[in-house]
Amino acid sequence: MSSLTDRPAQAPGSWPLFGHLKPLLTDPLGLLATLPHLGDVVELRFGRTPTYVVCSPEATEEVLRNSHRAFDKGGTFYENMRSIVGNGMATCPLAQHKRLRRLAQPAFRSGRMTGYAHLIHSQVRTLTSDWHHGQELAVLAEMRDLAIRSNLATMFSRRELGRDITGLRKAVTDFVDHQTVLRMIAPALNRLPTPRNYRYRRSEARLLRFLDEEIAAYRSDGRDHGDLMSMFTTSVDSDRLSDREVRDTAMTVLLGGVTASAVGHAWALYQLSQDAGLDAEVADEARAVTQLDEGRSAAEVMAELPLTRGVVAEVLRRRDPSWIFPRMTVADTTIGTTRLPAGAQVLLSPYVLHHRPDLFPSPENFDPRRWDGRDPHRATGWLPFGAGESKCIGYELAFMDLTLTLACIARSWKVQPCPGSVRPRPRLHMEPHGLALRLVSRKPH
Ligand code: HEM
């Protein structure tokens, strides 16, 4: 029988001194896959901080929705993230979080989604207008570029973001590219006098200068341009984000939104390249995208794309971009009946939940049909966007972006696999390493 003094199970394979460091560095997904049958909370050993992986949906929700504030955003990971994107909503301690979230929330209201859908649609059209039949696509790089375009367009629609934003796109690319897991754990690496670090600092400075100029322009203009920045700079109940808070929010959205969306787009195309039948059905359904130009709302168009939505829900499950993220215990506490000390690191892992066969039968199968008639946002254990007060603020926008972008591409292009193996590479987000695809135009040529 369990009691409140339960100790967490320990993952096997710990080495003296190094603990689980080796499997964590060489095969983190293999290590995570072994944990759920050991218990709801499993201890890993490496370094001096006690570390626990949460393996059940109930325990994950308990941590993310905790009302007694025992789990906060702290520890090395968040300290380092703050040095990169500032003390914004995604990185600040929960005590400061509520206000930032309340002030940024209007930008993500459902009523604004149709405007964002048009901006995204236009960016996909611009990017793909340069594609040609037979071209081999370096998919992740191309989808990164698309995510940057869509992100900048939805954030700053006041500016004409046509083909003239090469310099800014390069700055965002350098900024995003630079954030490897290693650099987040050991930011001192960023201070070494290397050419790469010099390039990064220059890009970061350019980005910050651009943001400061834009924030000033939006403040003095004061109009709603139908984009995120109009809302970030607006007052809510006589309070508003300071210039510094707007800048930190924008940097967070650029880093988190761009990298997560890019891998989502890339995995979605990969999955279509693996299944000609699925690809044909998605392409057929995708004709509905044109209804956006006929004045229908984003919600109406999304309703016409049930299979594409199923593909996206399944990409976010099977290829979960945000495969793991941490919290810190700020006091001695419990998860269920398991006791944890203060100062421990708690790892929440959508990857672990999404691969549990009791929640998702045959979890290794990519099966969009498992979402037929089901709303993934209500499914137990489907947590690609987290949960609770820190749940991804951009989840509705991100889901729509992934769906419309996939439909818009699939309408005109078929993708075929190129030789070479593709494997998931768990970095800040789960990347499809080695993914190249050949484009085949669906138009007669
Ligand atoms: C496939 C795309 C995306 C995925 C999988 C994703 C995933 C997540 C997850 C798991 C969290 C919660 C992390 C935690 O609790 O510590 C999060 C937070 C956040 N995301 Fe996303 N995200 C995506 C796209 C976006 C986009 C497009 C935006 C903005 C335009 C965005 C903005 C944010 C922000 C600001 C937070 C912090 C929210 C808070 O702490 O209150 N994300 N995201």
Side-chain angles (χ1 to χ4, degrees):
M1 209 174 112
S2 60
S3 73
L4 273 183
T5 54
D6 280 353
R7 284 179 57 80
Q10 234 188 63
S14 169
W15 284 61
L17 221 61
F18 296 105
H20 296 98
L21 192 61
K22 182 164 175 269
L24 269 174
L25 291 177
T26 56
D27 184 17
L29 300 182
L31 176 65
L32 289 178
T34 64
L35 305 183
H37 73 271
L38 298 171
D40 284 3
V41 183
V42 181
E43 184 175 359
L44 291 183
R45 296 195 163 234
F46 65 96
R48 282 194 297 266
T49 310
T51 299
Y52 304 92
V53 182
V54 183
C55 299
S56 76
E58 298 78 16
T60 304
E61 297 259 353
E62 191 179 330
V63 173
L64 291 175
R65 296 185 192 279
N66 83 101
S67 50
H68 47 292
R69 297 247 182 276
F71 305 94
D72 207 340
K73 293 178 180 173
T76 319
F77 178 82
Y78 285 107
E79 278 158 29
N80 295 341
M81 284 295 282
R82 280 175 207 140
S83 72
I84 298 163
V85 294
N87 196 29
M89 197 191 335
T91 45
C92 70
L94 289 179
Q96 296 159 37
H97 174 267
K98 197 169 176 180
R99 177 179 159 271
L100 296 180
R101 177 96 186 195
R102 188 173 60 85
L103 294 175
Q105 194 71 60
F108 297 94
R109 274 201 308 259
S110 297
R112 299 184 70 80
M113 293 299 148
T114 302
Y116 300 152
H118 282 284
L119 294 166
I120 290 166
H121 194 200
S122 146
Q123 291 306 316
V124 182
R125 276 195 288 224
T126 306
L127 180 93
T128 55
S129 65
D130 285 340
W131 289 2
H132 56 83
H133 180 75
Q135 181 183 342
E136 185 177 315
L137 210 61
V139 183
L140 188 56
E142 192 76 357
M143 292 302 113
R144 170 86 53 87
D145 193 26
L146 177 60
I148 290 171
R149 284 168 184 270
S150 294
N151 209 288
L152 288 173
T154 47
M155 194 129 61
F156 307 106
S157 74
R158 196 183 67 90
R159 287 170 71 95
E160 187 46 55
L161 292 173
R163 290 165 195 276
D164 60 329
I165 55 158
T166 318
L168 185 60
R169 279 207 336 259
K170 184 172 173 331
V172 180
T173 307
D174 284 348
F175 172 70
V176 167
D177 257 351
H178 204 73
Q179 312 311 334
T180 61
V181 171
L182 188 60
R183 281 166 186 273
M184 285 181 180
I185 298 169
L189 291 175
N190 288 333
R191 292 192 285 275
L192 297 176
T194 63
R196 190 183 155 154
N197 281 343
Y198 176 68
R199 265 199 320 276
Y200 165 65
R201 288 286 161 221
R202 227 178 23 192
S203 292
E204 186 192 47
R206 180 178 178 152
L207 207 52
L208 293 177
R209 216 171 33 246
F210 168 80
L211 289 175
D212 288 344
E213 284 166 13
E214 282 300 302
I215 292 164
Y218 273 82
R219 291 261 197 241
S220 68
D221 171 321
R223 289 190 318 167
D224 179 2
H225 295 274
D227 53 13
L228 295 170
M229 194 47 82
S230 302
M231 291 288 103
F232 293 160
T233 47
T234 300
S235 302
V236 179
D237 302 335
S238 71
D239 190 6
R240 67 176 199 183
L241 295 169
S242 68
D243 287 358
R244 184 57 202 254
E245 287 166 345
V246 174
R247 193 170 100 172
D248 290 351
T249 304
M251 289 294 265
T252 305
V253 164
L254 280 177
L255 181 61
V258 164
T259 56
S261 301
V263 300
H265 291 314
W267 279 118
L269 289 180
Y270 168 75
Q271 293 301 160
L272 289 197
S273 78
Q274 299 298 298
D275 183 339
L278 177 66
D279 171 70
E281 281 184 76
V282 168
D284 190 39
E285 185 178 88
R287 281 178 304 195
V289 173
T290 52
Q291 296 176 3
L292 262 182
D293 295 332
E294 295 156 14
R296 301 192 72 188
S297 71
E300 286 169 324
V301 174
M302 288 287 283
E304 301 285 327
L305 299 169
L307 180 60
T308 318
R309 282 189 280 119
V311 171
V312 169
E314 190 66 346
V315 162
L316 293 173
R317 181 195 69 81
R318 175 72 180 85
R319 306 295 183 181
D320 14 30
S322 294
W323 58 288
I324 202 159
F325 49 90
R327 291 290 187 269
M328 201 81 187
T329 53
V330 294
D332 290 352
T333 188
T334 54
I335 301 177
T337 58
T338 306
R339 195 178 276 271
L340 304 184
Q345 177 163 234
V346 176
L347 299 176
L348 291 321
S349 174
Y351 179 86
V352 166
L353 303 184
H354 293 172
H355 289 79
R356 285 184 63 132
D358 55 337
L359 298 173
F360 303 100
S362 308
E364 299 307 320
N365 288 357
F366 184 86
D367 179 12
R369 299 284 183 200
R370 72 171 83 231
W371 300 106
D372 281 358
R374 261 178 99 194
D375 178 358
H377 299 281
R378 293 171 184 274
T380 305
W382 187 83
L383 292 176
F385 298 111
E389 57 198 323
S390 262
K391 176 174 177 176
C392 178
I393 198 170
Y395 81 95
E396 192 179 343
L397 171 58
F399 198 94
M400 179 185 77
D401 171 31
L402 290 173
T403 308
L404 291 183
T405 298
L406 185 61
C408 191
I409 293 176
R411 192 159 57 100
S412 306
W413 300 94
K414 186 175 166 54
V415 279
Q416 289 178 339
C418 292
S421 68
V422 178
R423 64 179 172 81
R425 183 161 66 174
R427 301 179 83 183
L428 177 61
H429 292 106
M430 184 86 77
E431 298 179 357
H433 184 62
L435 178 57
L437 296 173
R438 192 165 304 286
L439 291 169
V440 177
S441 173
R442 293 199 202 267
K443 296 191 190 108
H445 41 269

